[in-house]
């Protein structure tokens, strides 16, 4: 976020300097500085004890169903290895349970992170918009003031030259 805001600051400064140069004005040295950037907190990942217990219970039921299905299939294929098949199927059921609980936890954490990133980006956009608008408004006021001073000085020089020419014309007329 800090890098993006620094890049936006450099872009705004460069663009405003180009505009000032195009108008024949010096770049505005009194450009407001970017405010201090508040640190972005960590994503709100919290322990999910109750959810983990529920997912363990549901995963155990699912794993038990997988283990029973595999044991029946294995018992029909190799009737002499029923005990080994039951142990293997129980291990597969436990593995499915662990996989299901971990996958659900990862999906939950991913959803929390996705929301957090969306909030950070929205905050970044709002901050950048506000800072750019502030810089452009300050530059516009400074450039308008400088242009008005240039116009007044040019008008005064022109009026002085007209008076001098008018005085010469009077001298020649007399």
């Amino acid at each position: 976020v800090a890098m993006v805001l620094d890049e936006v600051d450099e872009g705004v400064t460069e663009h405003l300097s180009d505009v000032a140069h195009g108008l024949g004005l010096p770049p505005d040295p009194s450009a407001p500085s970017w405010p201090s950037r508040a640190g972005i907190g960590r994503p709100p990942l919290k322990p999910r004890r109750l959810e983990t217990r529920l997912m363990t219970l549901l995963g155990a039921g699912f794993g038990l169903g997988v283990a029973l299905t595999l044991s029946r299939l294995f018992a029909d294929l190799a009737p002499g290895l029923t005990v080994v098949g039951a142990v293997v199927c129980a291990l597969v059921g436990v593995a499915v349970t662990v996989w299901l609980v971990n996958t659900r936890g990862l999906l939950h954490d991913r959803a929390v992170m996705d929301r957090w990133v969306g909030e950070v980006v929205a905050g970044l956009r709002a901050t950048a918009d506000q800072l750019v608008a502030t810089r452009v408004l300050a530059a516009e006021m400074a450039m308008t003031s400088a242009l008005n001073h240039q116009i007044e000085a040019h008008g005064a020089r022109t009026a002085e030259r007209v008076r001098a020419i008018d005085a010469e014309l009077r001298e020649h007329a007399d």
Side-chain angles (χ1 to χ4, degrees):
V1 169
M3 286 174 32
V4 169
L5 288 177
D6 288 340
E7 189 175 320
V8 168
D9 181 38
E10 290 172 10
V12 168
T13 301
E14 180 181 329
H15 184 72
L16 291 176
S17 295
D18 290 346
V19 169
H21 180 70
L23 293 173
L25 300 173
D28 186 17
S30 65
S33 61
W34 296 85
S36 63
R37 297 166 192 100
I40 295 175
R42 300 181 72 79
L45 296 175
K46 299 176 186 172
R48 308 170 307 275
R49 290 186 186 99
L50 291 175
E51 184 179 346
T52 302
R53 287 181 193 165
L54 177 64
M55 284 310 300
T56 303
L57 181 63
L58 293 174
F62 186 73
L64 181 64
V66 168
L68 286 175
T69 302
L70 286 177
S71 68
R72 287 188 183 186
L73 179 67
F74 191 70
D76 288 341
L77 293 176
L81 300 173
T82 306
V83 174
V84 173
V87 171
V88 169
C89 292
L91 290 176
V92 169
V94 169
V96 167
T97 300
V98 170
W99 174 78
L100 188 66
V101 170
N102 286 338
T103 300
R104 176 63 185 125
L106 288 174
L107 290 174
H108 178 269
D109 290 348
R110 183 177 177 192
V112 169
M113 292 290 288
D114 187 44
R115 277 194 308 271
W116 178 74
V117 167
E119 291 171 2
V120 168
V121 169
L124 173 63
R125 174 175 277 161
T127 300
D129 286 348
Q130 178 185 8
L131 295 175
V132 167
T134 302
R135 287 279 308 271
V136 168
L137 182 62
E140 182 181 351
M141 290 178 7
M143 287 180 197
T144 301
S145 176
L147 280 174
N148 284 338
H149 288 300
Q150 281 184 354
I151 290 170
E152 287 174 9
H154 182 64
R157 284 192 307 267
T158 303
E160 185 60 37
R161 289 180 70 196
V162 166
R163 272 184 249 151
I165 292 171
D166 193 36
E168 278 185 40
L169 289 174
R170 281 190 203 135
E171 281 181 20
H172 290 305
D174 289 335

